[in-house]
């Protein structure tokens, strides 16, 4: 039985670094952000439902009209829920199929900034939060995205707070630039290896 690891954390926390370390150690990771963008282009159900909601112009020229989608998303608090209701179920199903295709793997991961908020915590056996102090997150995101502090801080405020996320996580990996990452990731893998039966009891 494959142990499914959910990797989450706010913008600039370094969850992608942890995901890459897991992959280097032989654990495949489903990067939900990239897969979601791909599905929004290729999944016929998503395309038809978004077209019904936003009109033909949402796929004008055969590509997703991101500006139109963003305009709708931020136009009203309820709009994000509508879009998520269309997209998230298809992403969950895609992840399930992805895991099935890797049934030979003892472990597999999914990386998502909104793992908990989107209800994906139910799809995994353990939730791992990657944590970094807010100022470090701001500096990393500003450098990575060539963005302003104001915009990054606004994005941080729009996400679930670290303390709330920490309470809901099974493990916390500290990525503050000082605490070594590799020993923490190895410790996580060791724990999961030793508790595989407990985490994934055989189905009756």
């Amino acid at each position: 039985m494959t142990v499914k690891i959910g990797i989450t954390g706010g913008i600039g926390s370094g969850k992608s670094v942890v995901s890459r370390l897991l992959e280097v150690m032989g654990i495949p990771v489903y990067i939900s952000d990239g897969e979601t963008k791909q599905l929004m282009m290729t999944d016929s159900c998503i395309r038809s439902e978004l077209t019904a909601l936003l009109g033909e112009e949402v796929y004008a020229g055969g590509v997703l009209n991101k500006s139109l989608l963003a305009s709708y998303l931020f136009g009203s608090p309820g709009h994000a829920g509508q879009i998520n209701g269309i997209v998230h179920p298809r992403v969950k199903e895609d992840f399930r199929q992805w895991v099935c295709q890797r049934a030979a793997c003892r472990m597999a991961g999914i990386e998502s900034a909104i793992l908990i908020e989107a209800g994906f915590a139910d799809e995994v056996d353990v939730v791992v939060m990657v944590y970094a102090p807010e100022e470090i997150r701001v500096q990393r995101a500003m450098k990575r995205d060539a963005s302003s502090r104001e915009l990054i801080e606004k994005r941080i405020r729009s996400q679930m707070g670290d303390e709330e996320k920490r309470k809901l996580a099974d493990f916390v990996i500290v990525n503050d630039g000082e605490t070594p990452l590799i020993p923490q990731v190895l410790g996580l893998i060791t724990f999961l290896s030793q508790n595989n039966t407990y985490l994934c009891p055989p189905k009756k």
Side-chain angles (χ1 to χ4, degrees):
M1 195 79 172
T2 304
V3 176
K4 297 181 286 295
I5 308 166
I7 305 138
T8 192
I11 180 174
S13 61
K15 55 191 174 295
S16 295
V17 176
V18 171
S19 294
R20 283 196 291 273
L21 282 173
L22 288 172
E23 289 179 321
V24 166
M25 294 173 187
I27 299 172
V29 179
Y30 182 97
I31 309 300
S32 63
D33 188 43
E35 298 296 339
T36 297
K37 289 174 182 174
Q38 182 70 17
L39 284 169
M40 290 179 79
M41 276 302 304
T42 60
D43 187 277
S44 59
C45 290
I46 292 177
R47 288 182 69 114
S48 64
E49 290 186 46
L50 284 181
T51 300
L53 180 67
L54 301 175
E56 296 289 341
E57 61 269 26
V58 73
Y59 283 103
V63 297
L64 181 65
N65 187 332
K66 294 178 182 177
S67 61
L68 174 62
L69 182 65
S71 175
Y72 183 79
L73 268 171
F74 298 112
S76 168
H79 288 177
Q82 287 179 298
I83 300 297
N84 292 341
I86 293 170
V87 176
H88 288 170
R90 303 301 299 169
V91 178
K92 284 185 182 181
E93 183 55 36
D94 189 64
F95 172 63
R96 289 170 189 159
Q97 291 178 11
W98 181 90
V99 171
C100 287
Q101 292 164 4
R102 288 155 182 81
C105 299
R106 293 183 65 195
M107 300 177 204
I110 175 172
E111 177 196 315
S112 173
I114 56 170
L115 184 94
I116 296 169
E117 302 94 310
F120 278 75
D122 296 335
E123 301 292 320
V124 299
D125 300 300
V126 290
V127 174
V128 178
M129 175 193 175
V130 183
Y131 168 80
E134 184 171 312
E135 181 56 29
I136 290 176
R137 292 170 56 198
V138 169
Q139 293 296 334
R140 284 175 182 162
M142 285 171 61
K143 183 177 181 181
R144 182 193 66 197
D145 300 340
S147 190
S148 68
R149 171 180 286 273
E150 182 183 12
L151 189 57
I152 297 300
E153 288 180 344
K154 186 176 180 181
R155 288 175 65 186
I156 287 175
R157 299 288 167 263
S158 72
Q159 295 180 337
M160 179 185 286
D162 279 350
E163 289 310 310
E164 188 178 358
K165 194 166 284 189
R166 189 190 283 262
K167 290 175 186 175
L168 297 170
D170 299 296
F171 296 89
V172 176
I173 289 179
V174 178
N175 183 27
D176 57 6
E178 296 180 4
T179 310
L181 266 182
I182 292 176
Q184 294 182 80
V185 175
L186 285 172
L188 170 68
I189 294 171
T190 300
F191 175 84
L192 296 180
S193 298
Q194 294 171 346
N195 292 275
N196 194 333
T197 304
Y198 166 72
L199 290 163
C200 297
K203 290 184 177 179
K204 294 180 182 178

